[in-house]
Amino acid sequence: MKKTIKEAVLIEHEINKSKFLSYLAPVKTEDEAKEYLREIKRLHPKATHHCSAYVCGDIERSNDDGEPASSAGLPMLQVLRGNDLDFVIAVVVRYYGGVLLGVGGLIRAYGSSVSLALEAATIMVPSTVYTYTLTFPYEFTNEVETHLTSSGVIVDREYDALAKYTVEVLSETILDDLNDFTSGTIVIESQGSRIDYKEEVSL
């Protein structure tokens, strides 16, 4: 599973008198990415170029917006790919400053613009969260609670003839030891899974 970003960022820098505004934003769909690009164009109607690249699942798009072919959108897309990002759009707005950068210079300028924006972004890392219901005799409540303190989260507790917990864990095997702790009396039922994102921790 790929990473994404928490919220939109904007970085501004200058290269040989041209001003580059680098926008980076999370998007859920291609339509949302297109609307974000339209919004940036509305914000900067007098800019020379509005180059873009986005990744939304299996969909990847890039646009040079008048710059030489593959000198802007593609290097921007390659930065998104290289950082294993998904559901993210990058838009680099250029105000031409009178100095030609050449194709090589443009590739470096647009690629570095996205990289700079990424440095300022909060990266979100995906993980799979599994939901289970646990049904067990009351006498094993302490054992179950103690085990889940370090390995999961108890979402709900119900008490009837037996105790019934709804729990969320990050591994399908993390509850295996509960069979031993409860002498095989526990019933573990899967309720499905979902993808959750947390901020990437730098080591």
Side-chain angles (χ1 to χ4, degrees), residues 21-186:
L21 302 174
S22 308
Y23 290 86
L24 206 61
V27 289
K28 295 178 181 177
T29 64
E30 183 176 23
D31 286 341
E32 194 175 318
K34 290 178 178 178
E35 177 54 36
Y36 184 80
L37 176 58
R38 285 192 290 268
E39 179 61 28
I40 299 304
K41 287 182 176 180
R42 285 193 288 268
L43 287 173
H44 301 279
K46 295 183 180 180
T48 318
H49 305 282
H50 309 83
C51 302
S52 61
Y54 58 83
V55 181
C56 291
D58 295 331
I59 300 171
E60 293 185 348
R61 299 277 189 269
S62 63
N63 191 297
D64 298 309
D65 194 37
E67 295 283 28
S70 300
S71 68
L74 183 58
M76 292 167 61
L77 181 59
Q78 287 172 336
V79 172
L80 297 182
R81 287 173 178 163
N83 285 275
D84 205 26
L85 291 169
D86 202 355
F87 297 104
V88 175
I89 182 171
V91 182
V92 177
V93 177
R94 182 189 182 191
Y95 286 89
Y96 180 58
V99 179
L100 293 173
L101 300 181
V103 172
L106 289 171
I107 290 172
R108 289 188 294 274
Y110 282 99
S112 66
S113 293
V114 178
S115 294
L116 284 172
L118 270 177
E119 288 177 11
T122 301
I123 305 298
M124 305 296 287
V125 181
S127 61
T128 303
V129 178
Y130 301 92
T131 303
Y132 290 90
T133 54
L134 313 178
T135 307
F136 55 92
Y138 288 108
E139 63 193 271
F140 298 111
T141 298
N142 286 341
E143 287 83 353
V144 173
E145 292 263 1
T146 300
H147 183 71
L148 290 170
T149 297
S150 59
S151 61
V153 176
I154 301 172
V155 179
D156 188 43
R157 295 175 175 85
E158 295 179 32
Y159 299 102
D160 200 351
L162 297 170
K164 185 177 180 181
Y165 285 9
T166 301
V167 302
E168 293 182 344
V169 294
L170 297 178
S171 168
E172 291 182 283
T173 61
I174 215 159
L175 301 176
D176 290 351
D177 290 341
L178 287 178
N179 277 309
D180 294 331
F181 297 154
T182 62
S183 303
T185 60
I186 193 167

